[in-house]
Amino acid sequence: MEIIISETKQALVKKRPKGAELIRKLSTEGRGKYNVATGASQFEMFKELVKEKIDWSLVTGFHLDEYIGLSKEHPAHFVNTLKKGL
């Protein structure tokens, strides 16, 4: 596992090519997983990552903002936030 930490959101976005390459490589090996921190800091990176040629159906995401047991239909479910925000 490689962890990428940046001082600012803008610095993290500049590392997008490296992160995208790691996700792409791991997804083709059947190990495509990522974890992102809570809060809005992740949205800038998501907006950039969706521009990459990644087969997202091969990737599993883990978000620390999710609530255990919350139905996908609930407005506070993080999947809904991603769909609205991106």
Side-chain angles (χ1 to χ4, degrees):
M1 173 181 6
E2 183 165 342
I3 298 171
I4 300 171
I5 299 172
S6 297
E7 292 294 321
T8 65
K9 292 185 280 188
Q10 295 78 18
L12 180 62
V13 169
K14 289 179 182 176
K15 296 179 182 181
R16 170 183 55 110
K18 181 177 182 176
E21 184 56 35
L22 285 169
I23 293 170
R24 191 172 17 259
K25 178 181 182 298
L26 293 172
S27 68
T28 59
E29 296 172 359
R31 302 183 300 135
K33 296 175 179 65
Y34 69 91
N35 187 35
V36 290
T38 61
S41 63
Q42 57 196 300
F43 291 119
E44 283 84 1
M45 181 58 80
F46 286 148
K47 287 177 184 175
E48 293 300 314
L49 280 175
V50 297
K51 298 175 185 176
E52 296 286 339
K53 293 190 183 321
I54 296 172
D55 183 350
W56 291 102
S57 69
L58 301 174
V59 179
T60 302
F62 298 92
H63 298 273
L64 300 178
D65 270 350
E66 198 54 88
Y67 299 102
I68 295 174
L70 196 64
S71 74
K72 290 183 181 177
E73 293 75 32
H74 193 284
H77 195 285
F78 196 64
V79 168
N80 295 319
T81 302
L82 286 173
K83 287 179 180 178
K84 286 186 282 185
L86 301 174

